[in-house]
Amino acid sequence: MTITPFDPGLSAAPTPQPKAPNSWKRYFSFNTDAKVIGIQYIATALIFLLVGGLLAMIMRGELITPEADLVDRTVYNGLYTMHGTIMLFLFMFPVLNGLNNLLIPCMIGAPDMAFPRLNAAAFWLVPVFGVILMASFLVPGGPAASGWWSYPPVSLQNPLGFLINGEALWIVAVALSGVSSIMGAINFVTTILRMRAPGMTLFRMPIFCWTALSAQIIQLIGLPALTGGALMLLFDLVVGTSFYRPEGGGDPVLYQHFFWFYSHPAVYVIILPVFGVFSELFPVYARKPLFGYRFVAMASLVIVALSLVVWVHHMFPSGVPQWMRDLFMVTTMLIAVPTGIKVFAWLATLWGGKLRLNTPMLFALGGLFNFVFAGVTGIMLATVPVDIHVNNTYFVVGHFHYVIYGAATMGVYAAIYHWFPKFTGKMYYEGLGQLHFLLTFIGTNLNFFPMHPLGLMGMPRRVSSYDPEFAFWNVLASLGAFLLGVSIIPFLLNLVSSLVRGKQAPANPWNAIGLEWLLPSPPPAENFEENVPTVISGPYGYGSGLPLVEHQERYPRATDFLATGQA
Amino acid sequence: MTLTPASPDPLSGLDQNAGPTDGHASGHSSHANHSLTGFIIFLCSESIIFFAFFTGYAVLKLSSLNWLPPGVEGLEWRTPLAYTAVLVSSSGTIALAEWFLNRGNLWGFRAFWLLSMAMGTVFLYGQAVEWAGLSFGITSGSFGSCFYLLTGFHGLHVASGVLLMGLMLIRSFRAGNYEGGEQGVVAASLFWHFVDVIWVLLFLLLYAWPA
């Protein structure tokens, strides 16, 4: 196939795919196109965001009064367990893998991922383990109820004695999620290392690709440890082995090591791509090059290295020796250094820039604000005495919700709005987007800020009833949660209505620099096909006047033509 | 009878753009030249799961008061050592098989490839015999749990390796198949070396480390 993207015949010629590529049915099939898989990932993740959000609102409904009056206490245990598991394994990881699938091949000029079939298989595991996890609501005894970390010996209780119980299904689902993520990680790392456009050296790669590479390296190192630990938990639960059972000589704290060895770095798997999104968006909407590109890129790898030696800070009260507490306190605080480098690089990028406050930029700025707040409480929690004092209180819950919702999910929203025109070919509605931002930002802070005073006052997490002195802040938090629930409505309305009747998007609506913006919107199935441009300068050349690729003058004309030709 | 593959050096396939063979649009089929990169990344990741099991075993053993279950004196190491020798030398025979393939001697490749598969099978047989004769089970405390988990998980890898090699052996009979697709052989061989190294560590941890 030798048709070039600039060939006028392309828009008239029938598409060369054997299956009609623009049929909606491809989104429900085993399709190997990374752009289809990316949208499949994101759509699946958004469905589970609604499920997890519904569970959260039931919990906040319970907590709006001090008494346990809305749901049964055992049901409440299942609610927070499933809320955490769904949000991490069925919303956060899939939505980020969706962004990876859409962005990485386009940003580096590859036609697709390195292993398209592996890619599709990795995606289709997500609905499979999603159904397995949802099915646990229906088994006798209800879903897993030992928290998203599933610590033994609590998680090894099986009072009804059934082989198929909520906890066993939980472990199987998490293990399958691990398999899917490893398949994805092999694909992303190979693609980034082997399929970059000519001239795109590692230090000419967009920061999103650096952060995706770093995050996927963490997946490759950390996930096998969790999968191994989960396998041993499953054996303890189902076969009766004694890895974690104290009565057989097992060690319950060993599980905590396995769990956190992965699950703390998992936070960086989530936040690193969001750092990438911030690094992509701020230069576009401030019209300035990214400040300290090399430092921002290398800081990602430093975070990877440090993330592997911080996990014990989740276990300060678990009876670990004092030298371990001291060591891991120091390593945890060191994380603030590469993270601080990034934050100051973004501030320096924004400084004196010509800011354009549209929806993606608002989400990125709001996410950055929330992230800095979460970073401050994170340093507090890294300190051993503070951590032991507020351990298992709402302070911890508030801290990580600021990271996961306040920073990461808002970063994901920013990315969805920013690249929505590129991958759907339609413009979103700016007014609805800004309404979504306003509700999300207020809701996030109203929901999660009150958790900090609650934690300092001593309210434990994972309880369905509490002392009346905690009522004031809990009512505020519940109102914030319902506001967050409302904030999803303009978002979904925006997505659906702009897909159905939105304005046709031009190839480069934001005047952004990057290979993906040289492609028409939406990009053709093979991106640049055989005419991959040669990259001749680094990314983010805003204001420098340097072209990004050879013969750049041919692209805007060609892509504008295609955009109008397809309309 | 000697079949000569068109490409004398299987590694040269790494740098060639092996064209897609199925009727799929170009670029959307697997890129054969990336398979080895992906496979090596997979092996690195897979080694972590063994590393997790090893550290779990070491932690449990070091912190345990009564490591061996009652009535168990320890593991008999002489017979397993013999089977270890078989498995480790199969790394040599598989390297020899690859050497023959590089020379274009397909029958030499097949002979040594089959020999390596046979040695892997002998190892699996030895392990099955050992399991059958043991006086403790997987539920006999942490010791039994660790022993069966480690040997069983490794045994699964040996079995997968033998199956993978069987697949490569069958594919070698497809005429001209190894002109660009020898990465399967390289990958299977890498996997086999990986399984061997893991076993040596496992043997030291399980049999050589005194209780």
Side-chain angles (χ1 to χ4, degrees), chain B residues 152-178:
Chain B
F153 194 65
H154 177 266
L156 267 181
H157 280 74
V158 178
S160 324
V162 171
L163 287 178
L164 196 63
M165 287 155 73
L167 196 69
M168 294 306 138
L169 188 67
I170 294 167
R171 280 173 54 172
S172 79
F173 286 98
R174 273 168 58 180
N177 193 40
Y178 280 172

Side-chain angles (χ1 to χ4, degrees), chain A residues 36-76:
Chain A
V36 173
I37 293 173
I39 288 168
Q40 286 175 322
Y41 263 120
I42 292 175
T44 313
L46 290 179
I47 291 169
F48 282 108
L49 173 68
L50 296 182
V51 177
L54 186 68
L55 300 184
M57 290 207 288
I58 299 173
M59 280 191 284
R60 285 317 314 181
E62 165 69 74
L63 292 173
I64 204 163
T65 56
E67 298 81 29
D69 40 15
L70 185 64
V71 292
D72 189 70
R73 285 167 200 275
T74 51
V75 174
Y76 188 82

Side-chain angles (χ1 to χ4, degrees), chain B residues 50-149:
Chain B
F50 278 105
F51 182 69
F53 286 150
F54 290 170
T55 35
Y57 165 80
V59 166
L60 287 174
K61 182 166 180 170
L62 288 173
S63 62
S64 154
L65 298 174
N66 303 304
W67 178 239
L68 294 176
V72 178
E73 292 299 312
L75 291 164
E76 201 281 312
W77 57 271
R78 287 174 193 84
T79 326
L81 186 64
Y83 285 113
T84 304
V86 172
L87 190 67
V88 170
S89 30
S90 73
S91 254
T93 57
I94 202 169
L96 216 55
E98 273 193 280
W99 184 81
F100 276 113
L101 186 64
N102 292 352
R103 296 295 176 104
N105 183 345
L106 263 183
W107 282 106
F109 160 73
R110 283 171 191 144
F112 278 95
W113 197 254
L114 196 62
L115 181 64
S116 313
M117 286 172 65
M119 288 161 95
T121 315
V122 166
F123 173 84
L124 279 179
Y125 170 77
Q127 199 165 54
V129 169
E130 190 193 359
W131 276 24
L134 288 173
S135 62
F136 59 90
I138 191 166
T139 50
S140 310
S142 303
F143 169 77
S145 305
C146 286
F147 177 82
Y148 282 100
L149 177 78

Side-chain angles (χ1 to χ4, degrees), chain A residues 1 40 137 167 213 216 313 325 354 364 370 376 401 409 448 462 514 516 520 541 555 557:
Chain A
M1 212 165 60
Q40 286 175 322
F137 279 109
E167 184 64 35
L213 179 67
Q216 299 303 322
H313 67 223
R325 289 174 167 181
K354 197 168 165 238
N370 289 335
V376 172
H401 278 91
T409 307
F448 303 127
R462 295 176 174 167
E516 80 267 34
Y555 285 88
R557 198 184 63 220

Side-chain angles (χ1 to χ4, degrees), chain A residues 218 221-222 257 260-266 268 301-316 323-336 338 382, chain B residues 51:
Chain A
I218 294 180
I221 300 173
H257 282 288
W260 289 115
F261 180 76
Y262 170 64
S263 294
H264 188 78
Y268 302 108
L301 291 183
V302 175
I303 290 176
V304 171
L306 282 174
S307 77
L308 298 174
V309 285
V310 295
W311 79 94
V312 176
H313 67 223
H314 289 271
M315 301 164 55
F316 285 156
W323 66 266
M324 256 191 177
R325 289 174 167 181
D326 297 341
L327 177 71
F328 283 90
M329 175 173 81
V330 172
T331 53
T332 305
M333 288 182 164
L334 275 180
I335 289 270
Chain B
F51 182 69

